Amino acid sequence: MGRIVSPSKVEVPHKWFNILTALNFDIPVNLPPERSSDGVSVQLPIELVRQTVTKKRWVDIPAAVRAAYEKWRPTPLLRAEALEKYLDTPARIYYKNEGVNVSGSHKLNTAIAQAYYYHRAGVRRLVTATGAGQWGTAVAVACAMFGLECGVRMVGTSFHSKPYRRTMMELYGAEVSPSPDPITKAGRQFLANHDPDSGNMALAIAESLEDTTRDGFTRFCIGSGELYSILHQTIIGLEVKGQLSMLGEEADVIIGSLGAGSNFGGIAAPYIADNIENGKKVRCLSVEPSACPKLTRGEYRYDFTDSSGLTPMEKMYTLGHHFATPDIHAGGLRYHATSKLISALYHYGLVEAIAVPQTDVFASGALFLRTEGFLPAPESAHAVHGAVLEAIAARVDGIPRTIVINLSGHGYFDLAAYQSWHDGTMVDINVTDDEIRKSLSQIPDVKCIL
Ligand SMILES: *Cc1c(COP(=O)(O)O)cnc(C)c1O
């Protein structure tokens, strides 16, 4: 087991860190959709809107949100000594364990803040869409904290293959329904032409949006990639900085898995600002699945954030909103693009990216279990694998370095995936250049829209 680094001596931060104030470029604005979505709009509480445009460097964490954080934060920062020894590396490896809350992942950091602001805005019921179930679980937990009702639309295949995520959400009082659902208009339209098992996030979002029209008190809340979600996740990087400095350590490489970008952005933001403003040279490395390689093989251009084509277009690294993401086990990393903030940071060379195949990822996840005694979520195991590669590079070049992994969640609901790796039935999926080119060619040219 790794040595624990006195987490009790670090205070839970009182403020989130706004990285936009450190950038010497603007994040490109969103473009309105060419078609409207039946008058359904995502109405954000004013505080969340403010957080996406504020020029303030530090944003106060409301007392009620901070009190909720204190139930499990600061999260432990542990040194992975057994893993270092196994890899015979001169690198020192630390991991920030975000899997130690009831929802099992870092997503609770923003879900709590979002539920708080919606509650303050007079909303009584929050609905959301979830793929693999982590986001839905986080929202269910957060709604219970602030007395909000909660409705979760879960992509049907996950609803059936991950029954225990549903159980957790229902125990927290959420109403969980599989998508497609014949109750909704979007669900009926989909079922008329498609197999019930072919539902996806875009449809689950469309069905959730429909749920908001049933009364005046329901709102739809979005997951990970928004600027405010990444802001809320900066609590991770701020705690890491405090914990490392107590040890007299400085990070050389920060590693996180990349889906929509919130756990990576959250741990990296304070370090990126330090690089820009104080001449530091901390490398920030994102790790994506080779089956969904948006940063390493996508294009930086305007695209829709879901496959309905009803959302505003954002400038981001994308594989195309119709990209048929292969059914890899890390459901949380299957997004066809990544947030506009992470995309811009990558475009300007402020963060790095690698893509890795899932069998290697699960091998590193299982190795982490055997050495450190904690099973990473398949998403988080991407970051672990990135750290393993970095530690091996240190062994080869002989240069010691301090690596910090964002262990974004635990994998105890993903044992079927680990079993499939263990049995040798898991396969790696290769995406061809041709598939990517075809998918990118379906993105409408922005000039046609303006
Ligand atoms: C959702 C999820 C991710 C990916 O989402 P980001 O917004 O990129 O952080 C990573 N790890 C876990 C455990 C998740 O649940």
Side-chain angles (χ1 to χ4, degrees):
M1 290 285 277
R3 244 177 333 118
I4 206 150
V5 181
S6 8
S8 57
K9 290 197 197 142
V10 183
E11 247 202 314
V12 175
H14 289 265
K15 294 168 197 295
W16 293 300
F17 175 72
N18 178 8
I19 191 185
L20 298 180
T21 59
L23 305 179
N24 47 20
F25 52 84
D26 289 325
I27 305 294
V29 294
N30 295 357
L31 301 178
E34 53 180 349
R35 296 180 287 140
S36 83
S37 47
D38 294 338
V40 177
S41 66
V42 179
Q43 291 168 289
L44 284 180
I46 188 73
E47 270 308 312
L48 289 179
V49 177
R50 272 200 203 114
Q51 291 178 358
T52 66
V53 294
T54 180
K55 300 269 185 279
K56 279 187 358 197
R57 164 143 293 202
W58 296 98
V59 177
D60 285 329
I61 302 176
V65 173
R66 191 169 173 277
Y69 283 169
E70 280 190 315
K71 296 211 165 97
W72 82 97
R73 308 202 68 89
T75 55
L77 179 76
L78 297 108
R79 176 136 176 224
E81 281 172 325
L83 178 63
E84 290 168 16
K85 201 160 167 227
Y86 177 90
L87 295 171
D88 187 24
T89 176
R92 289 187 298 283
I93 306 173
Y94 288 91
Y95 61 103
K96 178 70 168 163
N97 194 342
E98 289 295 313
V100 294
N101 67 67
V102 65
S103 80
S105 82
H106 71 289
K107 290 194 170 77
L108 192 57
N109 296 328
T110 184
I112 286 178
Q114 292 185 38
Y116 169 81
Y117 291 121
Y118 280 101
H119 172 63
R120 288 260 311 220
V123 170
R124 295 192 201 150
R125 181 165 175 270
L126 268 189
V127 292
T128 198
T130 192
Q134 286 102 307
W135 173 245
T137 309
V139 174
V141 172
C143 282
M145 282 180 183
F146 296 104
L148 291 164
E149 290 174 43
C150 178
V152 180
R153 295 249 166 226
M154 187 168 179
V155 173
T157 45
S158 300
F159 182 87
H160 298 295
S161 68
K162 302 197 169 178
Y164 302 127
R165 289 241 177 249
R166 170 188 171 192
T167 305
M168 284 297 283
M169 291 185 259
E170 290 186 346
L171 289 177
Y172 265 97
E175 197 186 315
V176 188
S177 355
S179 167
D181 183 344
I183 275 183
T184 68
K185 197 169 126 215
R188 283 192 299 275
Q189 276 171 359
F190 184 88
L191 285 167
N193 311 305
H194 299 85
D195 176 334
D197 282 343
S198 61
N200 54 37
M201 264 309 266
L203 178 67
I205 290 171
E207 294 193 283
S208 304
L209 282 170
E210 227 182 288
D211 289 343
T212 63
T213 57
R214 81 179 197 192
D215 58 48
F217 307 111
T218 300
R219 291 285 181 278
F220 170 73
C221 73
I222 318 169
S224 295
E226 304 301 311
L227 292 173
Y228 55 78
S229 311
I230 298 176
L231 174 79
H232 303 152
Q233 298 295 353
T234 58
I235 191 153
I236 304 173
L238 295 171
E239 284 182 7
V240 167
K241 274 197 131 182
Q243 287 167 319
L244 280 181
S245 82
M246 276 177 50
L247 292 165
E249 285 269 25
E250 286 209 43
D252 296 303
V253 193
I254 299 284
I255 305 183
S257 62
L258 190 77
S262 71
N263 88 85
F264 175 64
I267 192 170
Y271 286 98
I272 294 167
D274 246 8
N275 287 347
I276 297 171
E277 296 175 343
N278 303 321
K280 293 273 168 81
K281 292 197 166 58
V282 179
R283 291 174 48 215
C284 297
L285 173 66
S286 65
V287 186
E288 58 185 17
S290 53
C292 191
K294 48 253 179 186
L295 281 187
T296 52
R297 293 173 70 193
E299 254 178 41
Y300 189 43
R301 59 182 290 180
Y302 275 96
D303 192 9
F304 296 106
T305 53
D306 74 11
S307 69
S308 70
L310 298 173
T311 51
M313 290 181 101
E314 300 193 11
K315 190 163 184 188
M316 53 193 181
Y317 275 88
T318 180
L319 296 162
H321 61 289
H322 286 306
F323 182 71
T325 318
D327 193 11
I328 50 167
H329 291 283
L333 308 183
R334 285 184 63 207
Y335 182 36
H336 66 274
T338 193
S339 80
K340 57 185 175 184
L341 172 60
I342 304 299
S343 294
L345 293 172
Y346 185 68
H347 179 69
Y348 287 101
L350 296 168
V351 300
E352 302 171 27
I354 54 169
V356 294
Q358 65 175 354
T359 52
D360 289 357
V361 164
F362 276 83
S364 288
L367 171 64
F368 196 83
L369 174 73
R370 289 198 306 277
T371 50
E372 298 303 319
F374 190 90
L375 188 68
E379 293 84 2
S380 320
H382 283 73
V384 171
H385 186 60
V388 166
L389 295 176
E390 194 60 40
I392 292 172
R395 179 171 74 207
V396 174
D397 63 27
I399 302 171
R401 59 199 86 170
T402 301
I403 301 169
V404 183
I405 303 169
N406 191 352
L407 205 85
S408 52
H410 73 64
Y412 297 108
F413 285 132
D414 302 281
L415 292 172
Y418 273 100
Q419 187 69 51
S420 129
W421 173 78
H422 183 72
D423 293 345
T425 55
M426 182 180 285
V427 291
D428 287 324
I429 297 147
N430 286 316
V431 179
T432 64
D433 288 343
D434 215 39
E435 284 170 281
I436 294 177
R437 210 169 10 218
K438 274 196 192 122
S439 169
L440 287 171
S441 73
Q442 292 178 53
I443 303 175
D445 198 338
V446 176
K447 288 191 287 292
C448 310
I449 291 176
L450 289 175

